Amino acid sequence: MKKTAWMLLMILAALTLALAGCGTKDTASSGSTPSEGGDGKKVYKVGTEATFAPFESVDDKGKIVGIDVDILKAIADEMDFEVEWNNIGWEPVFQTIKNGETHIGASGITITDERKESFDFTEPYYESQLLIVVKEDSKIKSLDELKDKKVSVQINATGHMAAKKLQGEASTNIMAFESQPIAIQEMLNGNVDAAIGDNAVVYEYIKAHPDQKIKVIQDDAFEKEYYGFMVQKGNKELLDKLNEGLKKIKENGKLKEITGTDFE
């Protein structure tokens, strides 16, 4: 009798664990499913790091604004869906796409072969290039001169990749920060010799801080970069929807109107 009761208890415990496991799985998978708005349209969650002006920043009313915001809105209007913006920080943009908490990554994200191993990207919508930022009286003139200098970058952005390519993966002269503006500020504070960042963001920073004595260096050693919107690997339905909308706003001139460039 005791043996039978014990076996029943063991079976019940196993069933409880199995049901708990199923519940966890269902919760995780449901996170990648878009919600539905009051008008019946699908609502996709967008993850961003909103200190990357002019692509995304927070205005004085606390609203996320910028080029990426306008492009995604134009795409959403064409394809009849809605987006919900979430300012979550640079690193979480990637992690939340992986685990399905957000559906679209939009933060001036450069399409790279390494990133394409883990994520899917839309067709490019903007051409960019890295710049070196130094103090006005700096004697630095090229990327090659930064081989043994202290450099600040945004963590895991392409400027960070370029610095590691120049100095080596284990270099202690590379200081990585959560945002590009902080990386530039570290250079101005004298903690590093130079900062590396995307051209549009660097010029926007200079525009917003006209009193700061900054010099920008262009170097052909930096390859051209292309921004794309990022989705979870294998999410073909959403990727196709974004690409179709992007194609439409390229053709109707809306993309050029938003970015101010002739990029095709």
Side-chain angles (χ1 to χ4, degrees), residues 93-119:
V93 168
F94 296 84
Q95 188 56 48
T96 57
I97 291 290
K98 269 189 178 178
N99 62 27
E101 288 179 68
T102 56
H103 308 105
I104 303 169
S107 199
I109 304 173
T110 300
I111 303 167
T112 67
D113 290 338
E114 183 181 353
R115 287 172 179 166
K116 285 197 289 186
E117 291 176 6
S118 303
F119 305 94

Side-chain angles (χ1 to χ4, degrees), residues 143 147 158-171 174 196 221-223:
L143 177 63
K147 280 183 178 178
T158 50
H160 194 180
M161 297 174 192
K164 288 193 287 188
K165 183 179 178 181
L166 180 70
Q167 296 189 359
E169 291 283 335
S171 174
I174 302 170
I196 298 175
F222 291 124
E223 295 179 1

Side-chain angles (χ1 to χ4, degrees), residues 180-197:
Q180 190 61 55
I182 294 175
I184 294 174
Q185 193 58 52
E186 286 296 308
M187 179 273 299
L188 288 167
N189 290 342
N191 296 325
V192 297
D193 300 292
I196 298 175

Side-chain angles (χ1 to χ4, degrees), residues 34-198:
S35 60
E36 192 173 290
D39 53 5
K41 293 181 181 180
K42 284 185 178 180
V43 181
Y44 294 99
K45 291 183 179 178
V46 183
T48 193
E49 185 263 307
T51 62
F52 203 68
F55 291 90
E56 40 271 310
S57 60
V58 179
D59 67 13
D60 54 7
K61 295 180 181 177
K63 185 180 178 182
I64 299 173
V65 296
I67 291 173
D68 280 347
V69 179
D70 293 342
I71 293 174
L72 264 185
K73 184 182 185 309
I75 291 173
D77 288 345
E78 290 286 346
M79 302 306 296
D80 202 33
F81 65 83
E82 296 176 0
V83 293
E84 174 191 298
W85 285 83
N86 298 269
N87 185 16
I88 55 178
W90 176 248
E91 291 284 88
V93 168
F94 296 84
Q95 188 56 48
T96 57
I97 291 290
K98 269 189 178 178
N99 62 27
E101 288 179 68
T102 56
H103 308 105
I104 303 169
S107 199
I109 304 173
T110 300
I111 303 167
T112 67
D113 290 338
E114 183 181 353
R115 287 172 179 166
K116 285 197 289 186
E117 291 176 6
S118 303
F119 305 94
D120 284 335
F121 285 88
T122 63
E123 293 297 315
Y125 62 86
Y126 191 86
E127 182 182 285
S128 178
Q129 193 164 19
L130 292 172
L131 297 174
I132 300 165
V133 189
V134 294
K135 289 183 180 180
E136 200 172 56
D137 59 356
S138 173
K139 295 189 182 339
I140 293 170
K141 294 181 180 178
S142 69
L143 177 63
D144 192 60
E145 292 177 55
L146 299 182
K147 280 183 178 178
D148 58 354
K149 297 286 195 300
K150 288 186 176 180
V151 179
S152 59
V153 295
Q154 181 177 14
I155 189 167
N156 289 337
T158 50
H160 194 180
M161 297 174 192
K164 288 193 287 188
K165 183 179 178 181
L166 180 70
Q167 296 189 359
E169 291 283 335
S171 174
T172 56
N173 280 334
I174 302 170
M175 298 178 66
F177 300 93
E178 179 62 21
S179 74
Q180 190 61 55
I182 294 175
I184 294 174
Q185 193 58 52
E186 286 296 308
M187 179 273 299
L188 288 167
N189 290 342
N191 296 325
V192 297
D193 300 292
I196 298 175
D198 291 44

Side-chain angles (χ1 to χ4, degrees), residues 244-263:
E244 186 179 344
L246 182 57
K247 184 174 183 287
K248 287 182 177 182
I249 66 170
K250 283 180 179 179
E251 290 173 349
N252 66 22
K254 188 67 178 177
L255 181 64
K256 180 179 178 180
E257 180 185 324
I258 294 168
T259 64
T261 70
D262 289 318
F263 178 72

Side-chain angles (χ1 to χ4, degrees), residues 24-36:
T24 303
K25 186 176 180 182
D26 289 344
T27 301
S29 61
S30 66
S32 61
T33 304
S35 60
E36 192 173 290

